[in-house]
Amino acid sequence: LKHGYSTRTLIKSLLRAPDSGKSLCGKVFEIGGWVRSLRTNGPMTFIVINDGSCRANLQVVCEDPQTEGYAVARKQITGASMLIRGMVTENKG
């Protein structure tokens, strides 16, 4: 029996990717960890997550209300455990 956390990608491996992660753009990964902060702005949800593999966090942006788990994700609190699957995109900020 495989659980989601056993197949997830560690945040440290995403953040330490060569070329500052540009080669990861467009690829889908599954990460799991604990919510460090969460905020919403209209239909967009910003989740900062950490999996303990490194000190750095990863920001997840969910902007499509039709995404599976969108409504549940918006209601999470700091410290909640989440398993997230999504595509890496270039930072627009």
Side-chain angles (χ1 to χ4, degrees):
L1 178 67
K2 279 194 167 186
H3 298 284
Y5 280 99
S6 65
T7 60
R8 68 182 161 80
T9 301
L10 296 177
I11 290 174
K12 76 175 178 181
S13 66
L14 295 174
L15 297 177
R16 293 180 182 167
D19 70 3
S20 300
K22 292 186 188 308
S23 61
L24 301 177
C25 289
K27 295 181 181 176
V28 175
F29 293 93
E30 190 168 72
I31 62 165
W34 296 270
V35 175
R36 302 285 293 186
S37 69
L38 185 144
R39 69 181 177 86
T40 58
N41 185 4
M44 296 182 75
T45 301
F46 301 90
I47 304 167
V48 176
I49 193 164
N50 185 287
D51 65 2
S53 65
C54 64
R55 298 186 100 174
N57 301 315
L58 186 72
Q59 178 173 266
V60 175
V61 179
C62 186
E63 53 191 341
D64 182 359
Q66 301 304 315
T67 301
E68 180 183 351
Y70 176 85
V72 173
R74 289 176 66 93
K75 297 177 185 175
Q76 297 309 303
I77 61 172
T78 301
S81 175
M82 298 183 79
L83 186 63
I84 301 170
R85 182 181 170 96
M87 184 182 305
V88 174
T89 59
E90 191 168 355
N91 185 349
K92 298 175 186 173

